[in-house]
Amino acid sequence: MEGLALETLAVRAGIDRSQFNEHSEALYLTSSFVFESAAQAAARFSGEEEGNVYARFTNPTVTAMQQRLAALEGAEACVATASGMAAIMSTVMALMQSGDHIVASRGLFGATQQLFGNILSKFGIETTFVPATDLEAYRAAVTPKTKLFFVESPSNPLTELVDIAAVAAIAHEAGAVLAVDNCFCSPALQQPLKLGADLVIHSATKYLDGQGRVLGGAVCGDKKLIDEVFKFLRTAGPCISPFNAWIILKGLETLRIRMAAQSASALELATWLEAQPQVARVHYPGLPSHPQHALALRQQSSGGAIVSFDVKGGREEAWKVVDATRVVSITANLGDTKTTLTHPASTTHGRISPEAREASGIHESLLRVAVGLESVADLKADLARGLALI
Ligand SMILES: Cc1ncc(COP(=O)(O)O)c(C=O)c1O
């Protein structure tokens, strides 16, 4: 598969046909695998002989998905997980121990902040959150115990960018590993490993599936690090179901064209939103007004499909826009072909204290649109209805 383009890998990587020579990838709905003899069972269990044993460890459908995603990210290896949060949790559990320290960008997804700030701290793993764009703050946060840097770029929901190459250099200077949550861009728009990151984390629930059907996650990187994550996963069990892996495997086939179409629509919608008198500010890396537009042009191949904007006013005005919609879905997911609209302060980021939320710029006036495949004219009309009420 070496040397092939991303669009070719998306439909061709990871294929391992069975004896039936099926064209579309097979779905192996089996939790265990049969051995030819007691000796073979023993050899498989001890690892002397390669092969499937039990689906908490491996399953051919899951392996196919892992190989395809690794190819798209330009990674040596990939391990799939039950969800994006399972991918993050498994990475931390595999690579860290009590007493270790994480440096994380501040604008992370709400559950990731909860995991780092409230749950890992119970087990002696502390996290310092730093402003996503402040390189000096990353450097200053390093302690002798820092093992992991964790960033999200663009961040959810404010689309702040992290300079991945610069943060990778700081992490490596500190002897730490950099993990990048690549959920918003997917490998179709950004390949963090090529920018110097060590691990890429995915919520496959989002663009990799692309149609809002299943939960899944993945960690990609070099074989040594992924083997560590796999060892945790096969023992602790937050593995993906073969059915979900198959859905995601097939979703990857259309990833590039979905991302291109959805990004183009997002840019058009963001440009229109910026011209609306009821809109105070639009957050979209593809707009020249985005504070890190130059970095976006360097690091990503487009602005992505997520647009956030602050309406003039607060929660009441933002909710007016939400409640007036008839086409878009009022739901917390993103990365779907159906456009979704979210009020982060009362949903995805609702469990964070109001002070911490305000400090990270997630105001009551903020709305997040994850642009799908509908006509942009219909999306504009749907949002215009609510904006007219402000
Ligand atoms: C950036 C980001 N990372 C991780 C996750 C968690 O993924 P999952 O819901 O698949 O556990 C999400 C979910 O919205 C997300 O937006």
Side-chain angles (χ1 to χ4, degrees):
M1 288 284 142
E2 216 146 282
L4 294 179
L6 188 124
E7 44 269 55
T8 310
L9 294 170
V11 295
R12 295 282 169 188
I15 292 175
D16 182 12
R17 295 200 170 98
S18 76
Q19 74 273 30
F20 300 114
N21 238 3
E22 66 281 350
H23 189 214
S24 178
E25 297 78 347
L27 167 53
Y28 293 93
L29 278 181
T30 180
S31 47
S32 74
F33 299 85
V34 178
F35 309 110
E36 280 164 14
S37 64
Q40 189 187 45
R44 289 266 177 99
F45 264 85
S46 70
E48 260 166 65
E49 181 182 307
E50 272 197 28
N52 296 300
V53 172
Y54 185 59
R56 174 153 41 76
F57 312 168
T58 59
N59 171 288
T61 308
V62 175
T63 303
M65 179 215 140
Q66 293 173 162
Q67 287 177 351
R68 186 165 294 174
L69 183 56
L72 296 186
E73 285 289 2
E76 222 171 72
C78 168
V79 63
T81 57
S83 66
M85 289 317 300
I88 298 171
M89 192 260 299
S90 302
T91 301
V92 172
M93 297 301 267
L95 304 183
M96 305 190 75
Q97 60 184 40
S98 174
D100 285 346
H101 175 245
I102 303 173
V103 177
S105 56
R106 195 175 279 160
L108 296 177
F109 173 59
T112 313
Q113 290 189 45
Q114 292 287 314
L115 175 70
F116 287 2
N118 299 344
I119 298 178
L120 294 179
S121 55
K122 288 199 295 188
F123 301 94
I125 296 173
E126 295 300 332
T127 302
T128 305
F129 292 98
V130 299
T133 57
D134 184 348
L135 294 179
E136 259 329 294
Y138 287 93
R139 203 171 273 118
V142 170
T143 77
K145 292 288 194 182
T146 305
K147 287 271 169 57
L148 178 71
F149 277 53
F150 190 98
V151 301
E152 212 176 283
S153 189
S155 69
N156 182 4
L158 286 171
T159 74
E160 267 187 318
L161 301 198
V162 173
D163 185 334
I164 295 171
V167 173
I170 298 168
H172 296 158
E173 233 171 77
V177 162
L178 170 63
V180 176
D181 185 328
N182 200 22
C183 172
F184 267 38
C185 273
S186 87
L189 305 185
Q190 171 174 274
Q191 292 167 309
L193 299 178
K194 292 200 176 138
L195 297 165
D198 303 286
L199 291 171
V200 173
I201 308 265
H202 274 291
S203 166
T205 316
K206 308 297 183 308
Y207 291 104
L208 305 189
D209 165 18
Q211 294 176 60
R213 297 166 292 190
V214 296
L215 283 174
V219 191
C220 303
D222 71 22
K223 194 169 169 339
K224 198 160 154 259
L225 285 173
I226 296 304
D227 275 351
E228 289 304 311
V229 181
F230 172 66
K231 273 190 237 158
F232 169 78
L233 206 83
R234 62 173 278 175
T235 306
C239 47
I240 195 166
S241 92
F243 180 78
N244 289 11
W246 183 79
I247 294 282
I248 294 161
L249 175 72
K250 301 304 283 176
L252 288 176
E253 296 187 356
T254 54
L255 176 68
R256 197 188 66 84
I257 53 172
R258 281 187 281 108
M259 291 311 285
Q262 292 175 225
S263 298
S265 295
L267 176 59
E268 193 182 331
L269 190 72
T271 307
W272 174 81
L273 280 167
E274 215 167 31
Q276 302 312 300
Q278 304 89 347
V279 172
R281 192 174 160 200
V282 179
H283 311 263
Y284 182 66
L287 286 178
S289 60
H290 190 282
Q292 296 156 291
H293 182 58
L295 177 61
L297 293 177
R298 256 198 343 264
Q299 196 165 268
Q300 306 177 188
S301 57
S302 83
I306 315 266
V307 182
S308 294
F309 63 100
D310 283 286
V311 294
K312 288 182 180 160
R315 175 179 289 208
E316 195 188 326
E317 288 72 19
W319 280 19
K320 273 186 186 160
V321 176
V322 175
D323 290 339
T325 56
R326 290 180 206 150
V327 175
V328 307
S329 313
I330 307 169
T331 180
N333 199 24
L334 60 92
D336 202 307
T337 50
K338 296 180 177 70
T339 297
T340 62
L341 178 63
T342 310
H343 180 247
S346 58
T347 58
T348 50
H349 291 67
R351 281 186 297 161
I352 301 167
S353 72
E355 300 74 35
R357 221 169 32 228
E358 282 294 316
S360 53
I362 301 167
H363 306 304
E364 291 287 345
S365 53
L366 186 75
L367 291 172
R368 185 193 73 196
V369 189
V371 179
L373 288 177
E374 302 92 338
S375 127
V376 187
D378 289 340
L379 297 179
K380 288 179 192 170
D382 210 31
L383 295 174
R385 205 174 303 112
L387 288 173
L389 302 174
I390 296 177

